[in-house]
Amino acid sequence: KMGIPGHLQFCTSEKYEIFEPGSVLDALDQHWIQLKFERETGLRNQPLWRDQYKKHGTCCLQRYNQLQYFLLAMRLKEKFDLLTTLRTHGITPGTKHTYKKIQDAIKTVTQEVPDLKCVQYTKGVL
């Protein structure tokens, strides 16, 4: 199933398999931090990774299984260090920039721009 037309999300009801202690779990814990959860709860139940896999990862099942999906996601994060790229272009938290400036900065490393949305915070709520 697809959510918004053209957006791949929630494609299957494939079950998320909890990562057991080891190198993949350690890498996820270091590079894809579950900030909304206590660390022990995050490692035990893996709620962020489960949600991301069910929403996005299941859409690539014909090409990547769960392990491959997460390994690829971490490899892409290393390859396209967007936070450093944004900082290099003077785009940092708490500063205001045009949508075009942000797009242009991202294009310097990706050649294309992902589907970006501007969100305004109001009293700490999205």
Side-chain angles (χ1 to χ4, degrees), residues 6-119:
H7 292 255
L8 297 175
Q9 55 186 13
F10 302 111
C11 295
T12 75
S13 59
E14 180 75 11
K15 184 179 177 201
Y16 174 85
E17 298 293 329
I18 294 285
F19 285 106
E20 297 297 324
S23 61
V24 174
L25 182 60
D26 292 344
L28 282 168
D29 187 39
Q30 181 179 359
H31 300 288
W32 199 335
I33 300 168
Q34 303 180 90
L35 295 174
K36 290 173 111 181
F37 308 96
E38 293 290 328
R39 185 167 183 264
E40 293 306 315
T41 301
L43 292 175
R44 184 176 53 252
N45 301 330
Q46 303 171 13
L48 173 66
W49 306 325
R50 172 186 286 122
D51 290 348
Q52 290 303 301
Y53 180 68
K54 289 170 99 177
K55 184 173 184 179
H56 303 294
T58 58
C59 296
C60 13
L61 272 174
Q62 291 182 350
R63 182 166 245 169
Y64 305 108
N65 65 28
Q66 178 181 315
L67 174 60
Q68 293 166 326
Y69 168 78
F70 282 102
L71 292 175
L72 177 61
M74 288 187 286
R75 202 165 70 235
L76 289 171
K77 180 184 178 282
E78 281 180 30
K79 182 177 179 181
F80 301 110
D81 183 355
L82 293 180
L83 292 178
T84 298
T85 298
L86 293 172
R87 267 195 298 279
T88 300
H89 288 86
I91 302 167
T92 57
T95 59
K96 294 181 180 182
H97 303 279
T98 65
Y99 189 81
K100 180 164 179 11
K101 182 174 180 179
I102 295 168
Q103 278 186 323
D104 290 346
I106 293 171
K107 279 185 185 179
T108 65
V109 292
T110 64
Q111 310 311 311
E112 298 206 20
V113 178
D115 184 22
L116 298 177
K117 292 182 179 66
C118 294
V119 179

